[in-house]
Amino acid sequence: SALGEEELLLLNVHLMFPHDQNATVIRLRQCAKLLGNLAKYTEKNHLSEIPVVICGDWNGSSKGHIAGFMKSQGFISVYDELNRGGPKWVSHLNHNQQVAGVDAIYLLN
């Protein structure tokens, strides 16, 4: 890249809403499939050194199973990094009309 030009891979996701406990397994599979396809793409296109940003509606909290899985794969939550001790994030009301902070941005750099 020329000076001042940065490259990154940007992905957007919308995981299944967790209607019951079985949904966690399905959502973890969705994440594993996403990361597996990402690995194939970056290897095929020689992009292993490029930062990856994955954003979207994760339908889970920053303390949930999906967030834990993403962190175990080396990703950081951009919101958590920028808002340590800050206000609780609320992105919308879920299907049950409960306040939810489920939109997130994860970075692998």
Side-chain angles (χ1 to χ4, degrees):
S1 295
L3 185 60
E5 291 183 16
E6 298 288 331
E7 294 182 323
L8 63 86
L9 288 174
L10 177 64
L11 294 84
N12 187 29
V13 300
H14 189 166
L15 298 185
M16 182 179 114
F17 183 80
H19 291 284
D20 57 41
Q21 290 297 342
N22 294 330
T24 298
V25 173
I26 295 168
R27 292 167 62 243
L28 285 169
R29 284 186 194 144
Q30 287 177 312
C31 286
K33 187 172 185 177
L34 171 72
L35 296 184
N37 286 330
L38 173 63
K40 288 177 191 174
Y41 180 83
T42 56
E43 182 179 329
K44 177 182 175 184
N45 294 286
H46 310 287
L47 300 172
S48 62
E49 301 298 318
I50 292 179
V52 176
V53 176
I54 307 178
C55 57
D57 185 344
W58 296 82
N59 274 314
S61 78
S62 63
K63 307 232 183 303
H65 294 290
I66 301 304
F69 175 73
M70 293 302 290
K71 291 172 187 172
S72 77
Q73 301 303 301
F75 285 84
I76 63 166
S77 166
V78 174
Y79 179 81
D80 288 349
E81 289 297 313
L82 295 176
N83 293 293
R84 293 182 187 189
K88 180 180 176 186
W89 171 250
V90 175
S91 59
H92 63 272
L93 297 177
N94 67 19
H95 294 93
N96 300 319
Q97 298 304 305
Q98 299 167 324
V99 172
V102 299
D103 297 331
I105 301 170
Y106 290 100
L107 170 66
L108 181 65
N109 191 6

